[in-house]
Amino acid sequence: PYLRPAFDWSGFYIGGHTGYGRGSSTAVLSDPLAVSTNSVFSGVIGGVQGGYNVQMPSGLLLGVEADLTFPNYFSSNSIVSTLAGASSEVAEKWDYVGTVRGRIGYASGHWLLYATGGFAYAGERFTNTPDVGTDQKQINVRPGWAAGAGVEYAFAPHWSVRLEYLYSQYDR
């Protein structure tokens, strides 16, 4: 007789996530002399994800996933860099970060181990508060890449929980 797997990871999925994000940045401001800073930022993050998986009979899993994550908007958790020059103060803040990644893994029953990697992007906002004049704002989308790995457990027919580490690097 045909044996069905204990759990089939194939198909579309959507979900939400929460976690902790930590990062660092280096910035230089010329105003009129060069001022630089090295910043470390961290805080609670949360967002949404969706994707599609195909599980082979051997247990090999191939998939694609996209996610969009938002920082905690307490000011200390969304600021990437702050610099003060002779005539202005400049702050870089993240509004969101996201990825579009491939996944490859091995599924055994209700467990899935996987590696992931692909394109990353960050929506950032620069604000310049000059000593004289009005504030200036510039909004950018910064491209980059992401790579990571995780373990996922399906605890009910349409529900799973995962633990994932994801490293992202953005263009300077």
Side-chain angles (χ1 to χ4, degrees), residues 61-73:
L61 181 124
L62 301 173
V64 62
E65 178 173 285
D67 63 50
L68 192 59
T69 303
F70 304 94
N72 181 339
Y73 282 102

Side-chain angles (χ1 to χ4, degrees), residues 32-157:
L33 300 174
V35 178
S36 66
T37 185
N38 292 324
S39 299
V40 174
F41 55 95
S42 62
V44 175
I45 57 173
V48 295
Q49 77 263 358
Y52 184 79
N53 292 323
V54 175
Q55 181 179 347
M56 309 295 179
S58 65
L60 177 69
L61 181 124
L62 301 173
V64 62
E65 178 173 285
D67 63 50
L68 192 59
T69 303
F70 304 94
N72 181 339
Y73 282 102
F74 292 127
S75 62
S76 63
N77 292 336
S78 65
I79 295 177
V80 176
S81 295
T82 297
L83 292 156
S87 61
S88 66
E89 181 178 8
V90 176
E92 176 189 8
K93 294 185 175 188
W94 277 355
D95 293 327
Y96 59 87
V97 294
T99 65
V100 178
R101 301 172 278 134
R103 291 202 318 168
I104 185 168
Y106 178 74
S108 177
H110 291 264
W111 289 95
L112 170 64
L113 295 171
Y114 64 91
T116 183
F119 177 72
Y121 56 94
E124 61 186 358
R125 182 174 16 132
F126 289 96
T127 53
N128 181 14
T129 308
D131 290 341
V132 179
T134 60
D135 290 359
Q136 301 166 345
K137 187 188 313 182
Q138 181 178 355
I139 297 173
N140 294 325
V141 176
R142 185 179 291 197
W145 59 271
V151 59
E152 192 166 352
Y153 178 72
F155 61 89

